[in-house]
PDB file of all heavy atoms in Angstrom:
ATOM      1  N   THR E  31     128.778  95.481  68.462  1.00 97.00           N
ATOM      2  CA  THR E  31     130.087  96.010  68.443  1.00 97.00           C
ATOM      3  C   THR E  31     130.417  96.915  69.622  1.00 97.00           C
ATOM      4  O   THR E  31     131.513  96.878  70.254  1.00 97.00           O
ATOM      5  CB  THR E  31     130.212  96.867  67.073  1.00 97.00           C
ATOM      6  OG1 THR E  31     129.825  96.067  65.990  1.00 97.00           O
ATOM      7  CG2 THR E  31     131.587  97.477  66.980  1.00 97.00           C
ATOM      8  N   ARG E  33     128.892  96.887  72.646  1.00 98.00           N
ATOM      9  CA  ARG E  33     128.948  96.068  73.766  1.00 98.00           C
ATOM     10  C   ARG E  33     130.348  95.367  73.932  1.00 98.00           C
ATOM     11  O   ARG E  33     130.896  95.389  74.983  1.00 98.00           O
ATOM     12  CB  ARG E  33     127.934  95.098  73.908  1.00 98.00           C
ATOM     13  CG  ARG E  33     126.589  95.646  74.360  1.00 98.00           C
ATOM     14  CD  ARG E  33     125.552  94.505  74.740  1.00 98.00           C
ATOM     15  NE  ARG E  33     125.106  93.722  73.607  1.00 98.00           N
ATOM     16  CZ  ARG E  33     123.826  93.935  72.983  1.00 98.00           C
ATOM     17  NH1 ARG E  33     123.083  94.769  73.500  1.00 98.00           N
ATOM     18  NH2 ARG E  33     123.589  93.120  71.995  1.00 98.00           N
ATOM     19  N   LEU E  82     124.236 108.654  61.471  1.00 98.00           N
ATOM     20  CA  LEU E  82     123.069 107.816  61.999  1.00 98.00           C
ATOM     21  C   LEU E  82     122.300 108.637  62.950  1.00 98.00           C
ATOM     22  O   LEU E  82     122.458 109.823  63.113  1.00 98.00           O
ATOM     23  CB  LEU E  82     123.661 106.617  62.656  1.00 98.00           C
ATOM     24  CG  LEU E  82     124.387 105.766  61.658  1.00 98.00           C
ATOM     25  CD1 LEU E  82     125.283 104.550  62.441  1.00 98.00           C
ATOM     26  CD2 LEU E  82     123.558 105.133  60.634  1.00 98.00           C
ATOM     27  N   ALA E  99     131.365 103.282  81.852  1.00 98.00           N
ATOM     28  CA  ALA E  99     132.523 103.785  81.213  1.00 98.00           C
ATOM     29  C   ALA E  99     132.828 105.320  81.487  1.00 98.00           C
ATOM     30  O   ALA E  99     131.917 106.034  81.509  1.00 98.00           O
ATOM     31  CB  ALA E  99     132.439 103.501  79.644  1.00 98.00           C
ATOM     32  N   GLU E 141     124.331 124.839  81.269  1.00 97.00           N
ATOM     33  CA  GLU E 141     123.257 125.876  81.347  1.00 97.00           C
ATOM     34  C   GLU E 141     123.514 126.739  82.532  1.00 97.00           C
ATOM     35  O   GLU E 141     123.671 126.232  83.659  1.00 97.00           O
ATOM     36  CB  GLU E 141     121.889 125.238  81.398  1.00 97.00           C
ATOM     37  CG  GLU E 141     121.574 124.385  80.142  1.00 97.00           C
ATOM     38  CD  GLU E 141     120.102 123.993  80.148  1.00 97.00           C
ATOM     39  OE1 GLU E 141     119.324 124.901  80.313  1.00 97.00           O
ATOM     40  OE2 GLU E 141     119.772 122.786  79.847  1.00 97.00           O
ATOM     41  N   ASP E 157     137.774 120.987  75.912  1.00 98.00           N
ATOM     42  CA  ASP E 157     138.478 122.134  75.124  1.00 98.00           C
ATOM     43  C   ASP E 157     137.639 123.244  74.749  1.00 98.00           C
ATOM     44  O   ASP E 157     138.113 124.357  74.537  1.00 98.00           O
ATOM     45  CB  ASP E 157     139.061 121.387  73.932  1.00 98.00           C
ATOM     46  CG  ASP E 157     139.950 120.216  74.238  1.00 98.00           C
ATOM     47  OD1 ASP E 157     140.928 120.380  74.904  1.00 98.00           O
ATOM     48  OD2 ASP E 157     139.621 119.146  73.663  1.00 98.00           O
ATOM     49  N   VAL E 161     127.504 127.020  75.850  1.00 97.00           N
ATOM     50  CA  VAL E 161     126.946 127.560  77.088  1.00 97.00           C
ATOM     51  C   VAL E 161     125.542 128.169  76.785  1.00 97.00           C
ATOM     52  O   VAL E 161     125.413 128.982  75.886  1.00 97.00           O
ATOM     53  CB  VAL E 161     127.882 128.735  77.577  1.00 97.00           C
ATOM     54  CG1 VAL E 161     127.303 129.382  78.849  1.00 97.00           C
ATOM     55  CG2 VAL E 161     129.198 128.140  77.868  1.00 97.00           C
ATOM     56  N   VAL E 175     137.186 130.718  79.608  1.00 94.00           N
ATOM     57  CA  VAL E 175     136.339 130.690  80.657  1.00 94.00           C
ATOM     58  C   VAL E 175     137.056 130.109  81.942  1.00 94.00           C
ATOM     59  O   VAL E 175     138.147 129.580  81.808  1.00 94.00           O
ATOM     60  CB  VAL E 175     135.171 129.750  80.448  1.00 94.00           C
ATOM     61  CG1 VAL E 175     134.200 130.327  79.413  1.00 94.00           C
ATOM     62  CG2 VAL E 175     135.523 128.396  80.099  1.00 94.00           C
ATOM     63  N   LEU E 189     131.804 116.785  87.492  1.00 98.00           N
ATOM     64  CA  LEU E 189     131.329 118.094  87.133  1.00 98.00           C
ATOM     65  C   LEU E 189     132.423 119.163  87.328  1.00 98.00           C
ATOM     66  O   LEU E 189     133.164 119.044  88.179  1.00 98.00           O
ATOM     67  CB  LEU E 189     130.132 118.448  87.902  1.00 98.00           C
ATOM     68  CG  LEU E 189     128.907 117.531  87.800  1.00 98.00           C
ATOM     69  CD1 LEU E 189     127.863 117.814  88.848  1.00 98.00           C
ATOM     70  CD2 LEU E 189     128.326 117.589  86.354  1.00 98.00           C
ATOM     71  N   ARG E 191     132.780 123.494  87.652  1.00 97.00           N
ATOM     72  CA  ARG E 191     132.103 124.788  87.717  1.00 97.00           C
ATOM     73  C   ARG E 191     132.655 125.686  86.668  1.00 97.00           C
ATOM     74  O   ARG E 191     133.872 125.833  86.604  1.00 97.00           O
ATOM     75  CB  ARG E 191     132.192 125.430  89.121  1.00 97.00           C
ATOM     76  CG  ARG E 191     131.380 126.725  89.170  1.00 97.00           C
ATOM     77  CD  ARG E 191     131.368 127.236  90.632  1.00 97.00           C
ATOM     78  NE  ARG E 191     130.598 126.423  91.531  1.00 97.00           N
ATOM     79  CZ  ARG E 191     131.035 125.752  92.590  1.00 97.00           C
ATOM     80  NH1 ARG E 191     132.313 125.892  92.872  1.00 97.00           N
ATOM     81  NH2 ARG E 191     130.287 125.059  93.281  1.00 97.00           N
ATOM     82  N   ARG E 214     118.380 115.254  73.220  1.00 98.00           N
ATOM     83  CA  ARG E 214     119.317 114.179  72.900  1.00 98.00           C
ATOM     84  C   ARG E 214     120.129 113.813  74.172  1.00 98.00           C
ATOM     85  O   ARG E 214     120.427 112.659  74.404  1.00 98.00           O
ATOM     86  CB  ARG E 214     120.259 114.579  71.755  1.00 98.00           C
ATOM     87  CG  ARG E 214     119.501 114.631  70.443  1.00 98.00           C
ATOM     88  CD  ARG E 214     120.299 115.157  69.273  1.00 98.00           C
ATOM     89  NE  ARG E 214     119.457 115.098  68.159  1.00 98.00           N
ATOM     90  CZ  ARG E 214     119.579 114.195  67.163  1.00 98.00           C
ATOM     91  NH1 ARG E 214     120.609 113.244  67.314  1.00 98.00           N
ATOM     92  NH2 ARG E 214     118.850 114.059  66.099  1.00 98.00           N
ATOM     93  N   VAL E 235     121.873  88.706  89.373  1.00 98.00           N
ATOM     94  CA  VAL E 235     121.332  87.464  89.107  1.00 98.00           C
ATOM     95  C   VAL E 235     122.444  86.394  89.240  1.00 98.00           C
ATOM     96  O   VAL E 235     122.293  85.384  89.880  1.00 98.00           O
ATOM     97  CB  VAL E 235     120.655  87.319  87.716  1.00 98.00           C
ATOM     98  CG1 VAL E 235     120.506  85.892  87.302  1.00 98.00           C
ATOM     99  CG2 VAL E 235     119.359  88.056  87.709  1.00 98.00           C
ATOM    100  N   MET E 262     113.570  93.491  86.516  1.00 98.00           N
ATOM    101  CA  MET E 262     113.379  93.237  85.123  1.00 98.00           C
ATOM    102  C   MET E 262     112.194  93.970  84.623  1.00 98.00           C
ATOM    103  O   MET E 262     112.210  94.428  83.454  1.00 98.00           O
ATOM    104  CB  MET E 262     113.218  91.692  84.859  1.00 98.00           C
ATOM    105  CG  MET E 262     113.137  91.259  83.460  1.00 98.00           C
ATOM    106  SD  MET E 262     113.322  89.461  83.118  1.00 98.00           S
ATOM    107  CE  MET E 262     112.722  89.380  81.494  1.00 98.00           C
ATOM    108  N   PRO E 284     105.229 113.948  66.556  1.00 96.00           N
ATOM    109  CA  PRO E 284     104.585 115.033  67.400  1.00 96.00           C
ATOM    110  C   PRO E 284     104.697 114.796  68.820  1.00 96.00           C
ATOM    111  O   PRO E 284     104.590 115.795  69.640  1.00 96.00           O
ATOM    112  CB  PRO E 284     103.137 114.983  66.892  1.00 96.00           C
ATOM    113  CG  PRO E 284     102.993 113.771  65.975  1.00 96.00           C
ATOM    114  CD  PRO E 284     104.261 113.240  65.628  1.00 96.00           C
ATOM    115  N   ALA E 289     107.785 111.821  74.823  1.00 98.00           N
ATOM    116  CA  ALA E 289     108.604 110.701  74.849  1.00 98.00           C
ATOM    117  C   ALA E 289     109.917 110.881  75.575  1.00 98.00           C
ATOM    118  O   ALA E 289     110.419 110.147  76.377  1.00 98.00           O
ATOM    119  CB  ALA E 289     108.853 110.239  73.427  1.00 98.00           C
ATOM    120  N   HIS E 291     110.585 113.305  77.935  1.00 98.00           N
ATOM    121  CA  HIS E 291     110.309 113.497  79.393  1.00 98.00           C
ATOM    122  C   HIS E 291     110.009 112.199  79.992  1.00 98.00           C
ATOM    123  O   HIS E 291     110.527 111.834  81.063  1.00 98.00           O
ATOM    124  CB  HIS E 291     109.156 114.477  79.568  1.00 98.00           C
ATOM    125  CG  HIS E 291     109.509 115.840  79.239  1.00 98.00           C
ATOM    126  ND1 HIS E 291     110.569 116.560  79.731  1.00 98.00           N
ATOM    127  CD2 HIS E 291     108.781 116.760  78.418  1.00 98.00           C
ATOM    128  CE1 HIS E 291     110.559 117.811  79.204  1.00 98.00           C
ATOM    129  NE2 HIS E 291     109.531 117.934  78.485  1.00 98.00           N
ATOM    130  N   HIS E 321     133.893  96.632  95.584  1.00 96.00           N
ATOM    131  CA  HIS E 321     132.872  96.182  94.647  1.00 96.00           C
ATOM    132  C   HIS E 321     132.336  97.288  93.766  1.00 96.00           C
ATOM    133  O   HIS E 321     132.355  98.430  94.141  1.00 96.00           O
ATOM    134  CB  HIS E 321     131.753  95.574  95.468  1.00 96.00           C
ATOM    135  CG  HIS E 321     130.834  94.760  94.705  1.00 96.00           C
ATOM    136  ND1 HIS E 321     129.881  95.208  93.794  1.00 96.00           N
ATOM    137  CD2 HIS E 321     130.844  93.393  94.552  1.00 96.00           C
ATOM    138  CE1 HIS E 321     129.199  94.233  93.267  1.00 96.00           C
ATOM    139  NE2 HIS E 321     129.719  93.155  93.601  1.00 96.00           N
ATOM    140  N   ALA E 330     123.928 106.343  88.767  1.00 98.00           N
ATOM    141  CA  ALA E 330     122.356 106.401  88.694  1.00 98.00           C
ATOM    142  C   ALA E 330     121.970 107.708  89.362  1.00 98.00           C
ATOM    143  O   ALA E 330     121.090 108.351  88.824  1.00 98.00           O
ATOM    144  CB  ALA E 330     121.759 105.211  89.401  1.00 98.00           C
TER     145      ALA E 330
END
Side-chain angles (χ1 to χ4, degrees):
Chain E
T31 305
R33 278 197 292 260
L82 297 170
E141 296 195 47
D157 302 302
V161 179
V175 292
L189 300 170
R191 182 173 292 120
R214 287 168 179 263
V235 164
M262 181 166 168
H291 290 305
H321 196 277

